[in-house]
Amino acid sequence: MLDVRRIREDFPILSRTVHGKPLVYLDNAATTQKPRQVVAALAEFYERHNANVHRGVHTLSDEATALMDAARRKTAEFLHAPKPETVVFTRNTTESINLVAHSWGRKFVSAGDEILLTEMEHHSNLVPWQMLAKEKGARLRFIPVTEDGRLDLAAAPGLITAKTKLVAFTAASNALGTLNPVPGLIALAKSRGARTLVDAAQWTPHYPTDVASWDCDFLVFSAHKMMGPTGLGVLYAKEELLEAMDPFLGGGDMIERVSWEGFTPNVVPYKFEAGTPNIAAAAAFSAALDYLSRAGFAALHEHEAALTKRALEIFAEFPAATVYGPKEPGARGGIVSFNIEGVHPHDVGTAFDLEGVAVRAGHHCCQPLMGRLKVGGTARASFYLYNTMNEVEALGGALAKTAAFFKRPAGVK
Ligand code: PMP
């Protein structure tokens, strides 16, 4: 079991107030808070080791390089990746997907090819493919989402054709909380000879990830959603794919040799890391991974499942509230996306904020999915390891107050 009281001591921000109320931070799917250990690692880098990597033949540069290498090794271990070289550091999930669309897509996707996505993708895993499809004359297809917010898996096999080059899907939906059957989808894609990309932005913070046993081709996520700093993303890819792909951005570090006429790219993964990387963030991400491994995914999951179950019970008591996504707690992660009848989600967000409760409101970068659900947007509460049962009750309190405030007199539409 998680010692949440102890954990909260590592997050000074959680003891601040908002509008005179204790902060109840339930916007973890957008970004998580950072423990002291991560902030200390950032400060330690700048106070003791700051230098650029690779280029310097001096002690500080060696230390900075060692910190970056250590972060890459730790990330590879975390993912069960075969080699540190299969881990490319980017700015975020979005950049990782753009890298694949640019460097793999431009080379291996041609006119008439198909890319299979799902209807629950974040814009990050949609727009780069739209851009590629437009450029190449390729076609995007989508695994539909059912009424209760799951992937229509029965439809999936029929959507993979001989032309399907890639199946790219989210492991967990940021808008609905749905957990998708990652190994099954990968197996299906592989059986038809398609490559796979897993958007693990909402997965890696909460569940163990094993790219070796999943055997996915690409997997992407962001450090900031798992207690790490902003400005650091990860692309895992199979080594042979990284070798076959062309560079993404051009500049320093990604080259081996440059002449007036051209350049020879650097070895993997540096070929994809042009310019000065976010060294401080990488060092701090190591601290975040350590923190997560000390907490343990089993305990984390048990805790989040209990919070989510209670939140769903509270919502079920409010006829004016609609919760989106699968009904069974086992089919969803720690995200509760909801609307209150007759109240705009932004008003819900503002009303909750006045109670100190931070939730997200809007389309969650999933506009087509919102269209599918026939809503303009939703409010979304999302949990992490430092949230408490009392905070779930505070969420319920904010819900009751907001629903009562906006309740229309009988007969008024
Ligand atoms: N995919 C999913 C499923 C996400 O939840 C997010 C962040 N909301 C992203 C991609 C994009 O992450 P980032 O903004 O860190 O690039």
Side-chain angles (χ1 to χ4, degrees):
M1 230 171 96
L2 289 185
D3 186 349
V4 179
R5 218 164 53 92
R6 257 281 309 113
I7 286 174
R8 288 178 72 86
E9 287 169 9
D10 292 330
F11 294 81
I13 201 168
L14 297 177
S15 49
R16 66 162 284 184
T17 55
V18 170
H19 301 301
K21 306 269 170 63
L23 168 68
V24 175
Y25 186 78
L26 301 180
D27 193 17
N28 295 290
T31 199
T32 56
Q33 299 303 342
K34 325 300 173 198
R36 285 180 199 281
Q37 292 82 343
V38 168
V39 180
L42 267 179
E44 159 132 352
F45 174 76
Y46 285 121
E47 286 174 2
R48 296 197 46 82
H49 309 290
N50 180 49
N52 213 328
V53 287
H54 299 305
R55 294 179 202 121
V57 196
H58 60 79
T59 304
L60 294 194
S61 176
D62 286 347
E63 288 173 5
T65 307
L67 284 167
M68 195 97 206
D69 290 347
R72 202 184 303 275
R73 274 198 308 277
K74 219 178 255 284
T75 306
E77 276 166 30
F78 173 78
L79 296 175
H80 298 92
K83 279 179 165 190
E85 290 76 16
T86 56
V87 170
V88 177
F89 285 126
T90 62
R91 281 189 304 147
N92 46 40
T93 302
T94 304
E95 188 175 274
S96 298
I97 298 174
N98 276 274
L99 193 166
V100 178
H102 183 100
S103 295
W104 178 83
R106 276 196 174 167
K107 195 162 177 180
F108 295 105
V109 174
S110 322
D113 284 344
E114 293 177 1
I115 294 169
L116 182 60
L117 307 173
T118 83
E119 284 184 347
M120 64 169 78
E121 295 313 308
H122 188 280
H123 295 164
S124 289
N125 197 28
L126 171 59
V127 178
W129 305 117
Q130 289 175 333
M131 291 162 78
L132 179 73
K134 193 168 175 203
E135 183 183 321
K136 293 288 185 179
R139 176 180 179 203
L140 301 185
R141 303 189 76 178
F142 299 90
I143 301 176
V145 169
T146 59
E147 287 305 315
D148 70 341
R150 294 165 187 259
L151 290 183
D152 182 353
L153 295 171
L159 289 163
I160 307 188
T161 71
K163 292 180 181 164
T164 310
K165 279 282 158 71
L166 177 74
V167 180
F169 62 94
T170 192
S173 159
N174 64 307
L176 301 174
T178 317
L179 300 177
N180 289 327
V182 178
L185 285 167
I186 293 171
L188 177 66
K190 279 181 60 177
S191 72
R192 310 286 179 88
R195 298 283 181 192
T196 49
L197 180 144
V198 181
D199 176 351
Q202 299 291 346
W203 181 275
T204 51
H206 307 279
Y207 309 99
T209 304
D210 191 332
V211 293
S213 81
W214 283 356
D215 200 27
C216 50
D217 294 300
F218 303 104
L219 182 133
V220 296
F221 64 95
S222 297
H224 71 90
K225 292 187 197 280
M226 48 198 298
M227 296 182 284
T230 50
L232 188 79
V234 169
L235 162 65
Y236 157 80
K238 283 187 179 158
E239 197 178 11
E240 66 268 24
L241 287 171
L242 290 175
E243 293 291 351
M245 285 156 58
D246 289 331
F248 177 39
L249 302 173
D253 278 341
M254 52 69 70
I255 50 84
E256 196 172 271
R257 280 184 68 80
V258 183
S259 68
W260 294 122
E261 288 73 35
F263 71 95
T264 323
N266 204 341
V267 293
V268 164
Y270 309 111
K271 176 165 106 175
F272 300 103
E273 294 181 357
T276 302
N278 198 338
I279 313 161
F285 185 47
S286 287
L289 288 174
D290 288 342
Y291 199 92
L292 209 45
S293 100
R294 277 196 302 275
F297 278 120
L300 175 73
H301 183 233
E302 185 191 3
H303 179 64
E304 289 178 352
L307 297 179
T308 311
K309 182 166 172 280
R310 177 66 193 129
L312 291 172
E313 281 166 13
I314 290 173
F315 275 90
E317 287 162 17
F318 282 86
T322 305
V323 171
Y324 303 94
K327 296 284 170 285
E328 316 80 83
R332 60 191 302 148
I335 288 179
V336 179
S337 205
F338 64 95
N339 270 321
I340 302 175
E341 198 185 339
V343 190
H344 193 282
H346 284 155
D347 291 336
V348 173
T350 306
F352 278 40
D353 186 53
L354 290 172
E355 300 303 310
V357 180
V359 294
R360 190 83 161 177
H363 54 64
H364 315 295
C365 295
C366 290
Q367 281 181 350
L369 175 65
M370 294 295 126
R372 175 82 182 72
L373 298 174
K374 300 187 185 64
V375 294
T378 70
R380 178 189 74 186
S382 50
F383 306 114
Y384 209 31
L385 77 177
Y386 38 66
N387 289 126
T388 64
M389 247 345 149
N390 282 344
E391 290 183 315
V392 179
E393 299 303 331
L395 171 71
L399 174 65
K401 207 162 170 178
T402 307
F405 181 81
F406 284 98
K407 193 164 184 225
R408 288 173 170 74
V412 178
K413 284 270 179 211

